[in-house]
């Protein structure tokens, strides 16, 4: 498989070159950069993002989360201990990860985002950006397991969407 990529400020977006996804990659890239800027995260931290199809995201969802269905976004944090945008005192890298400057990886399923945009009556740009922001917030230790955590995460997402002028 040959990959295309774009990058800026240590954020890298990759996709299979059989797809014409440059526009989608740029949306994701700008959303992630805006999120890390708002959260005051150093550009030294690298984030790798992969735009994938439904087959690929289903495989990943099953392999890592034991869920045998496709999903919209998956985030894999390389560090233990980030909580609500604050790194731990000592960065403890997960076993098998080598690069201390990498925050983690995000996988976004473009076909699912296209479908969700239609179902939610949003523009594709808003839906793609929402998922890129959501994935980045997960890498920074935000969660939505509890109601109060969900409120924080979703309000941060909405704030960034507004800054990107995509709140339509």
């Amino acid at each position: 498989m040959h990959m295309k990529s774009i990058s800026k400020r240590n954020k890298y977006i990759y996709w299979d070159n059989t797809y014409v996804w440059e526009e989608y990659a740029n949306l994701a890239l700008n959303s992630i950069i805006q999120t890390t800027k708002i959260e005051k995260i150093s550009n030294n931290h690298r984030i790798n993002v992969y735009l994938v199809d439904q087959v690929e995201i289903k495989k990943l969802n099953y392999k890592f989360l034991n869920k045998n269905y496709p999903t919209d976004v998956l985030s894999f944090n390389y560090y233990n201990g980030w909580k609500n945008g604050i790194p731990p005192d000592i960065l403890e890298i997960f076993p098998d990860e080598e690069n201390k400057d990498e925050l983690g990886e995000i996988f976004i399923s473009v076909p699912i985002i296209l479908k969700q945009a239609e179902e939610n009556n949003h523009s594709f740009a808003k839906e793609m950006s929402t998922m890129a922001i959501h994935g980045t917030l997960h890498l920074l230790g935000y969660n939505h397991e509890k109601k109060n955590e969900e409120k924080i995460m979703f309000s941060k997402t909405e704030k960034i969407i507004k800054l990107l002028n995509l709140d339509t």
Side-chain angles (χ1 to χ4, degrees), residues 67-130:
K67 295 177 178 176
N68 196 16
Y69 52 84
T71 188
D72 47 14
V73 62
L74 291 170
S75 298
F76 299 102
N77 197 321
Y78 290 171
Y79 291 101
N80 198 2
W82 276 83
K83 186 75 179 144
N84 297 330
I86 301 163
D89 293 336
I90 298 165
L91 280 181
E92 182 191 326
I93 199 159
F94 280 123
D96 302 328
E97 303 302 342
E98 307 104 33
N99 189 339
K100 287 203 180 297
D101 290 330
E102 289 192 40
L103 264 182
E105 298 176 318
I106 302 169
F107 293 83
I108 300 174
S109 172
V110 172
I112 290 184
I113 302 302
L114 285 162
K115 193 174 132 205
Q116 282 179 183
E118 198 175 304
E119 287 170 358
N120 296 329
N121 212 14
H122 293 162
S123 67
F124 174 81
K126 180 179 181 181
E127 196 70 24
M128 172 58 96
S129 292
T130 299

Side-chain angles (χ1 to χ4, degrees), residues 33-60:
I33 287 169
Q34 190 68 45
T35 305
T36 55
K37 188 175 158 187
I38 294 268
E39 289 293 310
K40 298 176 177 61
I41 304 301
S42 161
N43 285 327
N44 294 339
H45 290 297
R46 180 175 172 143
I47 298 175
N48 294 316
V49 182
Y50 301 90
L51 303 182
V52 297
D53 60 22
Q54 284 168 285
V55 174
E56 186 64 26
I57 205 133
K58 182 180 177 180
K59 283 182 199 169
L60 292 164

